[in-house]
Amino acid sequence: MNHQLITVIEQLCREKGIDAGTVIGALESALQAAAKKKFASQCENIDVSIDPKTGEVQVIAVKKIVENVENPRAEISLEEAAKLDEGAELGDEIGNIIPMEDLGRIAAQTAKQIIIQRVREAEWDVVLKNFKGKQGELINGIVMRQERRNYIIDLGKTEGILPVSEQIQGESYRRGDRVRAYIFDVKNTARGPQIVLSRTHPNFIAELFKMEVPEVYEGTVVIKGIVREPGDRAKIAVYSKDSKIDPVGACVGMKGSRVQAVVRELRGEKIDIIPWSDDPKAFIGEALSPAVIERVGINEQEKSATIVVADQQLSLAIGKKGQNVRLAAKLTGWKIDILNETQYQQERVKERDREITEAIANETKQQEEAEGKQKEGEAVGPASE
């Protein structure tokens, strides 16, 4: 029987990926709790030990040897102790083995429940430790079911949740579908570890490019920033540490093969890949791709920029419902105003008219002030004579 116990423990450890010492510790605690419950009226202190090699279980009631017994549940007289051990002395502790059969059915059931709980907790600890180290990585799973619009994903040794807030709009899955997602968060809850997945996080795209572009994986090409409106459009700024490598070309790939692999995973989401620059004018101009920019004016203090494009490029620069300029502003961190060439020329004319009007007004004011001073001088002159 003892050998069977060790066999069961070893099998459990292999299946759950937990340490044998943890299971034995849980079993000892469970048997100790059951024994304390069973023999509460007879003994206060009970120790349980399991030999990890042989599986032998010992349940021992421990009492202190005293001259006058005041608490029979925790103390024993020297006379009684001597019957158990001839070498017993006052002040020592002595143990009396309790037969396992005496634990009874209820005690065994209690032990079973505690073991299950402790093993589950140990299993949760393994899952948490494992997935904490994977936070920020991609993972593949299989859709198990849907709960309140959230998908529950089988990740192997545990389940993950793909909340509705982290799903790309328009995507839907059925039971058994394979899904790839970004490990967004790992939480420890009362119901066990919760692995929160995302397909809308900007870093989901970054990790996909790491898979498809060796230069990104190796760190030669660096992704400086990503913004997206999931399922619709994304902008990614890239920079190369090696002047010989074109960061945009590396991410696009031969005939667009690399970026298309990412687009397929995102179910058609458009991706604009632009070169990052520490020059705000250049970076803002590139961020408005695919529109062609004529001029860029910036106000560094207010961190705002005015962009001029050809008349036919205005709608492209702004994008559908302002999406292109909105994403460009998020990517660069600058407030962006866009004018077409006609509007720009009109603004220049208005500005020129304002300047002329102000100049005339200033000249008139100066003339009036000069004439006023002249009249004051003429009035003072005759009075002094």
Side-chain angles (χ1 to χ4, degrees):
M1 180 176 175
N2 294 338
H3 177 71
Q4 289 178 343
L5 176 62
I6 293 299
T7 302
V8 170
I9 290 174
E10 290 175 349
Q11 183 180 353
L12 184 64
C13 292
R14 282 196 301 271
E15 291 176 356
K16 302 296 184 180
I18 57 181
D19 182 63
T22 301
V23 178
I24 290 175
L27 184 55
E28 288 174 341
S29 298
L31 291 174
Q32 186 177 45
K36 283 183 176 181
K37 185 175 181 180
K38 175 73 174 177
F39 302 108
S41 62
Q42 301 173 36
C43 184
E44 281 186 1
N45 303 317
I46 294 178
D47 287 340
V48 176
S49 64
I50 299 174
D51 189 311
K53 292 182 179 179
T54 65
E56 183 181 354
V57 181
Q58 277 198 336
V59 183
I60 302 174
V62 180
K63 293 185 179 183
K64 187 175 182 179
I65 303 172
V66 296
E67 190 171 348
N68 298 312
V69 177
E70 295 180 358
N71 181 5
R73 295 173 61 240
E75 298 169 342
I76 188 172
S77 67
L78 180 58
E79 183 181 352
E80 290 296 322
K83 294 177 182 179
L84 300 173
D85 182 357
E86 293 180 356
E89 296 181 1
L90 287 174
D92 288 348
E93 287 187 339
I94 191 167
N96 183 27
I97 296 175
I98 300 174
M100 284 289 294
E101 307 84 61
D102 290 348
L103 285 177
R105 184 179 58 81
I106 297 176
Q109 185 63 28
T110 303
K112 180 182 177 182
Q113 291 173 353
I114 296 176
I115 291 170
I116 291 172
Q117 179 61 29
R118 290 291 297 274
V119 169
R120 185 185 294 118
E121 289 172 358
E123 189 177 358
W124 288 351
D125 287 342
V126 171
V127 170
L128 276 173
K129 185 178 179 181
N130 185 28
F131 279 89
K132 275 289 185 184
K134 292 182 178 179
Q135 190 168 342
E137 298 180 6
L138 296 185
I139 194 167
N140 294 316
I142 298 174
V143 176
M144 296 174 64
R145 62 187 182 279
Q146 192 173 19
E147 295 179 356
R148 298 177 184 177
R149 298 170 64 198
N150 303 321
Y151 287 106
I152 306 303
I153 312 297
D154 181 5
L155 301 177
K157 292 186 177 180
T158 189
E159 296 176 358
I161 181 171
L162 181 61
V164 63
S165 59
E166 301 297 327
Q167 298 169 23
I168 296 175
Q169 190 173 6
E171 284 189 343
S172 62
Y173 301 97
R174 289 181 294 184
R175 179 181 173 85
D177 285 351
R178 296 191 67 83
V179 61
R180 178 179 289 163
Y182 176 78
I183 302 176
F184 174 56
D185 196 9
V186 179
K187 301 177 180 179
N188 190 8
T189 70
R191 298 176 62 186
Q194 185 179 66
I195 317 301
V196 184
L197 308 176
S198 175
R199 283 180 58 82
T200 62
H201 198 285
N203 286 346
F204 181 45
I205 292 183
E207 292 301 313
L208 289 173
F209 271 101
K210 277 186 184 179
M211 289 181 58
E212 299 296 336
V213 184
E215 292 86 349
V216 174
Y217 178 79
E218 294 164 1
T220 307
V221 172
V222 180
I223 296 175
K224 287 285 192 175
I226 299 176
V227 293
R228 61 186 295 215
E229 294 188 358
D232 201 354
R233 194 180 205 101
K235 286 183 181 289
I236 172 172
V238 293
Y239 168 78
S240 176
K241 294 180 180 178
D242 187 343
S243 58
K244 297 177 183 178
I245 296 177
D246 171 22
V248 175
C251 291
V252 172
M254 187 72 68
K255 296 182 181 180
S257 58
R258 292 174 174 176
V259 70
Q260 283 306 313
V262 176
V263 169
R264 281 194 298 272
E265 177 61 45
L266 299 175
R267 310 291 174 91
E269 185 173 325
K270 297 181 180 66
I271 301 177
D272 299 327
I273 305 174
I274 65 170
W276 179 86
S277 173
D278 55 7
D279 177 3
K281 287 187 176 181
F283 189 33
I284 292 169
E286 294 286 359
L288 286 164
S289 173
V292 178
I293 308 305
E294 300 288 332
R295 302 176 187 83
V296 179
I298 63 172
N299 183 329
E300 291 190 2
Q301 190 172 0
E302 296 181 1
K303 210 168 184 183
S304 62
T306 300
I307 310 298
V308 180
V309 298
D311 290 3
Q312 63 271 24
Q313 289 283 312
L314 182 61
S315 60
L316 188 61
I318 295 174
K320 185 179 179 182
K321 296 181 180 180
Q323 184 186 69
N324 195 54
V325 67
R326 185 166 60 249
L327 287 173
K330 286 182 181 178
L331 185 65
T332 61
W334 286 65
K335 179 183 176 183
I336 300 175
D337 292 319
I338 301 179
L339 301 174
N340 61 22
E341 190 67 40
T342 300
Q343 291 170 327
Y344 174 67
Q345 294 301 334
Q346 289 173 349
E347 288 295 326
R348 288 191 64 186
V349 170
K350 288 179 183 178
E351 184 63 30
R352 197 160 50 241
D353 290 345
R354 278 196 298 270
E355 291 175 355
I356 293 171
T357 301
E358 288 176 3
I360 293 172
N362 288 335
E363 188 175 345
T364 301
K365 184 179 180 181
Q366 289 173 1
Q367 288 178 352
E368 289 175 350
E369 288 176 352
E371 290 174 359
K373 288 180 181 179
Q374 185 177 358
K375 287 180 180 180
E376 287 178 7
E378 291 174 354
V380 171
S384 61
E385 292 175 0

